Amino acid sequence: MPQPPPPRRPAWLMPTLAAALVVLVAAGGVGAYFLYGRLSGGSAPTGTASSSPAKQPATAAAPPDLCAMLPKEEAERLVPGAAVATSSRDGDYTVNFGCNWINQRISFGEFWRSREIDVKVEQHKGERAKTGRAMAQTSYEMEYRGGRYGETAKPSLDPDEKQYVSPVKDVPGVGDAAFAQYTWRRSGKLLWYAYGTAYARVGDMMVKVRFQAGQQRKDAQILSNQTMQAVTEENAIREVSGLVAHFAKGLADWQAKHPGVLVKAEPTAAATVSPTTSATPSPTVLASFPADCQAVTEAATRLVPEPTTRARGTSVGDDDQTECRWLNRELSGGPGVTKIRSALITVHRFTNRAGEVDEPAAKAYYASVYGRTKTTAESAIGSISFGAVSEVKGLGDQAFQQFVKSRSGEVSASSGSVTVREGSYVIVVDYSGHQRPEGEATDSPKVTLMPEKEAMAGALALAKAYLEQPAGN
């Protein structure tokens, strides 16, 4: 007997990182966001060109609320802070509707997590003598045979690709029939993902549910699978089996209230409902210089003579921040030469809800900053050049440094930067400046940037002075 052909791969099974890779340059670092490939509805079942769909009954009802079928506490457990989107479309052979929960950037200690639940339903209209229920049964059997084939299929893979497809696992007591399966795939240095998929038939409806999850250390190189971990087979099968049970029950309840009725698809997909976010508060200028900054003023003024000082503070969640700056834009660099020198210390103090120091939060923040900084190391984006990132031994609990040159904006300057974690504190010290012929603009092509040796030595000296200040400041 000939082997059945391998099942087609629906577009919505596109892996998280393969859909798109777009680097977003922002102040303070480089991030990434990913565009997901999605399928708004299933393809028509196989048939002859002359076949035609059955006529839709005169009565129709609004689509079942798939998003409401998943308990809120379950949705929050699996995809915390998710953006939720619905879809609905009327096809020739099926009415298609779905719901999607997604959050690709969940902060969890020293990791960034990504989670997604995607559920799609196809209600079959029937074709000629075949009822919608019969067509749904045929569709389910095709998916089941495809799953069985995938267990032992040997796909053509490149040398750096690996793939595993688990045996089909029947899910008893769900709809008229249901099964689940797990897929894990790795490709080169970029892709590493896994997900569970469950299928169920409920009367004339086919339900497809996918749950994908993974995590990566915050200090890992962005756009790589370094330190990537994906959901395990056991967990994926368990979660997706529970998910499909929720939707199968909800659809069965809807059908009981609307026997023999087709869903009336909405003309357009419903708007995406994003999680509520609060604006980042603006820093407030402090009335007096903080004591910890006063304690290092002598060291700062050696780097920036006769400075103008400024201190600002703000709180973002559990991060209480203060920023102290010493600046002189009109230093003499010798006859006919003007210099700019600036020293900046930004301190992040982390506390939990009880007001106690929160060292794990500081570790997570440090790891995130370190990961973003490594992403741009030894590269250039426009007129900004980033030097190598190197760890600094013997400074605080953890520390790293980097040299950056910038010729964008109103002031061209180079900067030495040292980032230190000490317990529940993260301290960022920047020492920057340039020199130019007197009378030239601060962004003039004649600007000479501060040498790397001077910038890094100054930043390191100020960081050491801050950490060595007397206790209590």
Side-chain angles (χ1 to χ4, degrees):
M1 179 180 295
Q3 290 289 327
R8 60 180 174 82
R9 178 183 295 175
W12 61 273
L13 291 185
M14 187 75 73
T16 302
L17 296 179
L21 304 172
V22 183
V23 177
L24 175 65
V25 181
V30 173
Y33 68 90
F34 311 102
L35 304 178
Y36 247 73
R38 291 185 184 145
L39 187 69
S40 59
S43 301
T46 304
T48 62
S50 61
S51 62
S52 60
K55 292 184 178 180
Q56 182 169 329
T59 57
D65 190 349
L66 284 175
C67 299
M69 293 178 187
L70 183 61
K72 291 183 179 180
E73 60 273 15
E74 188 76 347
E76 183 63 21
R77 179 180 70 85
L78 293 174
V79 191
V84 185
T86 61
S87 61
S88 178
R89 183 177 66 84
D90 192 356
D92 290 337
Y93 298 91
T94 58
V95 182
N96 311 286
F97 49 99
C99 187
N100 178 273
W101 295 257
I102 187 169
N103 190 342
Q104 295 286 15
R105 197 167 176 81
I106 304 167
S107 180
F108 184 79
E110 297 182 18
F111 291 88
W112 287 118
R113 287 182 165 180
S114 62
R115 298 284 184 87
E116 182 184 19
I117 299 170
D118 191 70
V119 54
K120 287 179 170 59
V121 177
E122 299 173 352
Q123 184 183 30
H124 290 262
K125 298 178 179 180
E127 183 181 358
R128 292 188 176 181
K130 288 188 176 182
T131 63
R133 183 184 182 90
M135 296 298 293
Q137 177 63 24
T138 299
S139 177
Y140 178 84
E141 291 173 354
M142 289 177 62
E143 295 290 359
Y144 194 85
R145 288 198 300 270
R148 287 293 191 191
Y149 176 84
E151 295 177 10
T152 56
K154 303 295 183 183
S156 298
L157 299 174
D158 292 335
D160 61 351
E161 292 182 320
K162 295 180 180 180
Q163 177 173 294
Y164 165 74
V165 179
S166 77
V168 166
K169 178 177 176 60
D170 293 323
V171 184
V174 174
D176 296 301
F179 74 91
Q181 196 166 29
Y182 171 77
T183 300
W184 176 93
R185 188 174 177 86
R186 179 178 180 178
S187 179
K189 296 181 179 180
L190 183 61
L191 301 180
W192 190 324
Y193 63 96
Y195 55 85
T197 308
Y199 295 82
R201 182 179 70 82
V202 183
D204 60 358
M205 295 180 177
M206 263 291 292
V207 189
K208 303 177 183 180
V209 182
R210 177 172 61 93
F211 174 64
Q212 183 166 329
Q215 67 179 21
Q216 186 175 32
R217 285 186 58 88
K218 291 178 177 178
D219 58 1
Q221 185 78 27
I222 293 178
L223 307 186
S224 77
N225 60 24
Q226 181 186 23
T227 73
M228 183 71 74
Q229 295 174 307
V231 63
T232 64
E233 178 178 349
E234 179 183 2
N235 290 342
I237 293 293
R238 182 189 68 248
E239 300 296 359
V240 82
S241 298
L243 287 168
V244 76
H246 286 297
F247 300 113
K249 182 181 183 303
L251 293 172
D253 292 343
W254 184 91
Q255 290 176 346
K257 297 175 183 177
H258 305 85
V261 175
L262 276 179
V263 168
K264 181 180 180 180
E266 302 292 341
T268 56
T272 299
V273 181
S274 299
T276 301
T277 58
S278 56
T280 301
S282 300
T284 301
V285 176
L286 302 179
S288 60
F289 226 43
D292 55 337
C293 295
Q294 288 282 12
V296 296
T297 291
E298 182 179 348
T301 53
R302 285 198 293 267
L303 301 173
V304 187
E306 301 179 1
T308 299
T309 60
R310 184 194 68 191
R312 302 192 301 181
T314 188
S315 293
V316 181
D318 59 355
D319 181 4
D320 185 23
Q321 305 171 17
T322 59
E323 173 191 284
C324 301
R325 187 189 69 183
W326 297 261
L327 173 66
N328 192 331
R329 298 169 63 96
E330 300 295 333
L331 281 170
S332 174
V337 177
T338 300
K339 294 197 304 183
I340 288 180
R341 290 294 183 266
S342 172
L344 182 70
I345 298 178
T346 305
V347 183
H348 301 260
R349 299 171 176 85
F350 292 89
T351 55
N352 58 25
R353 293 181 179 179
E356 301 168 337
V357 296
D358 192 347
E359 185 170 342
K363 288 181 178 179
Y365 180 81
Y366 177 89
S368 180
V369 173
Y370 186 47
R372 290 199 309 268
T373 306
K374 284 203 305 181
T375 299
T376 60
E378 299 180 280
S379 69
I381 300 176
S383 55
I384 304 175
S385 300
F386 301 91
V389 175
S390 59
E391 295 187 12
V392 182
K393 302 297 184 181
L395 191 64
D397 296 316
Q398 295 172 282
F400 70 88
Q401 62 183 7
Q402 186 183 39
F403 178 67
V404 179
K405 296 185 293 183
S406 173
R407 290 189 177 273
S408 64
E410 297 180 359
V411 180
S412 296
S414 59
S415 178
S417 181
V418 177
T419 301
V420 185
R421 183 188 68 80
E422 176 83 357
S424 61
Y425 287 26
V426 176
I427 303 105
V428 184
V429 178
D430 297 286
Y431 180 50
S432 57
H434 78 221
Q435 66 183 42
R436 65 189 188 278
E438 189 174 336
E440 289 290 333
T442 56
D443 60 351
S444 167
K446 296 182 180 180
V447 163
T448 300
L449 303 183
M450 186 195 303
E452 179 177 358
K453 183 177 180 180
E454 179 185 353
M456 295 310 308
L460 192 58
L462 191 54
K464 289 180 178 178
Y466 186 90
L467 292 175
E468 292 170 356
Q469 66 180 289
N473 286 330

